[in-house]
Amino acid sequence: MFKIGTLLFLAILAVMGTPSTLAQAPATGAVATSGALVIVPAYGEVTQANDQAHATFMIEEQNKDKAVAASQVNKKMKQGADIIRQADRQATLKTRGYYTYPVYADEATRPPSNKSRTLVGWRVGQYLEVTTGNLDGLAKTVAAAQSVLALNGLQFGLTDAARKKLEQQQIEATYRNLLERIGAIAGAMGRSTSEAIVETVDFDGSGAYAPAAAPKMMMRASAAMDAAPVEEPSFEPGETSLSMRLVGRVKFK
């Protein structure tokens, strides 16, 4: 009986382990995080009211005589530019897109390739880009210019100074979000943020850590051609938002 009891006791110890072995076993659910490397994505977005407008005006004339059509365009563009300068001293003007095209009698239908086309006139046009920070007077300026020119497009955005300031805020907001996430991860791991070492900060979000955020387009507006006299249009400059993703490589001591 003694031998059988002794053998049974030794078998139980072999299965359960000796007291010293049990003392060395880690507690259930505990995970060693020393030296752990954590990839932490972060995101930041900032918004700023637009303080600049980019307006595009145009004029187009058609006449049997090319010189007459060009003269009409040149005259009206000069009148329109003078009106804009008088209405808004802050505005900067830039001419672009002067064009001259022939007009054919059968322009609506494509003739056979072996048939000559009959020239009936010329179409001449020109574009004028206007940039201004005077948003309060924008509606009045546009209405005055529309007595001669047509408003082809309108786009709101930020001045260079405002954009640089917003980009700085964007970086700060994104990095602040990284630190907040590191703190949350450290808490979940039962570690202190003082034990976390930021090894790498990737402000491009590259390295397949996080997809690059698509740049947000600036708010746009457009208006159709109006005949003089023109009532003042209504514009809402809106806001510009910048977003950024970054990825941090964080190692715990």
Side-chain angles (χ1 to χ4, degrees):
M1 292 294 294
F2 176 75
K3 292 182 177 180
I4 295 176
T6 303
L7 293 174
L8 182 58
F9 176 73
L10 293 175
I12 293 173
L13 288 178
V15 174
M16 297 183 62
T18 63
S20 59
T21 303
L22 293 175
Q24 295 175 1
T28 304
V31 178
T33 57
S34 178
L37 180 63
V38 182
I39 305 301
V40 185
Y43 178 80
E45 182 175 3
V46 290
T47 302
Q48 173 70 37
N50 290 324
D51 62 348
Q52 190 175 71
H54 303 272
T56 302
F57 294 91
M58 69 166 295
I59 183 65
E60 183 178 279
E61 295 290 339
Q62 183 173 323
N63 195 283
K64 293 181 180 180
D65 190 328
K66 180 169 60 174
V68 173
S71 295
Q72 291 174 343
V73 168
N74 297 345
K75 179 181 178 181
K76 291 185 178 181
M77 180 56 72
K78 184 179 185 305
Q79 291 175 349
D82 290 341
I83 290 173
I84 294 172
R85 290 191 182 97
Q86 185 176 1
D88 187 355
R89 301 294 183 181
Q90 300 180 21
T92 57
L93 283 62
K94 179 181 179 180
T95 300
R96 70 172 180 84
Y98 198 108
Y99 60 88
T100 304
Y101 295 117
V103 179
Y104 297 97
D106 52 359
E107 197 172 54
T109 58
R110 180 173 296 180
S113 58
N114 59 350
K115 181 181 178 180
S116 60
R117 306 179 69 182
T118 303
L119 180 67
V120 296
W122 295 87
R123 183 181 297 114
V124 181
Q126 186 179 1
Y127 290 90
L128 177 67
E129 291 184 350
V130 178
T131 302
T132 180
N134 183 15
L135 300 187
D136 292 336
L138 179 63
K140 183 177 180 180
T141 300
V142 170
Q146 282 181 307
S147 63
V148 180
L149 307 177
L151 180 62
N152 182 257
L154 182 64
Q155 176 179 320
F156 294 98
L158 298 175
T159 59
D160 291 340
R163 177 168 291 275
K164 288 180 181 179
K165 182 178 179 180
L166 190 60
E167 288 175 348
Q168 179 64 33
Q169 295 173 359
Q170 175 192 27
I171 294 174
E172 293 172 355
T174 309
Y175 190 74
R176 184 165 55 249
N177 182 250
L178 173 66
L179 298 181
E180 292 171 353
R181 293 193 176 196
I182 292 175
I185 292 172
M189 296 171 63
R191 304 295 296 273
S192 170
T193 53
S194 62
E195 299 176 285
I197 301 174
V198 179
E199 291 191 331
T200 305
V201 178
D202 180 4
F203 278 94
D204 287 330
S206 59
Y209 299 130
K216 294 192 174 183
M217 299 300 293
M218 290 185 289
M219 184 176 179
R220 296 172 182 264
S222 61
M225 297 175 63
D226 295 317
V230 180
E231 294 293 329
E232 290 188 9
S234 298
F235 299 127
E236 295 295 335
E239 300 174 330
T240 293
S241 295
L242 297 180
S243 60
M244 173 182 285
R245 289 183 181 273
L246 68 79
V247 175
R249 292 167 56 92
V250 181
K251 186 173 184 180
F252 285 88
K253 299 178 182 178

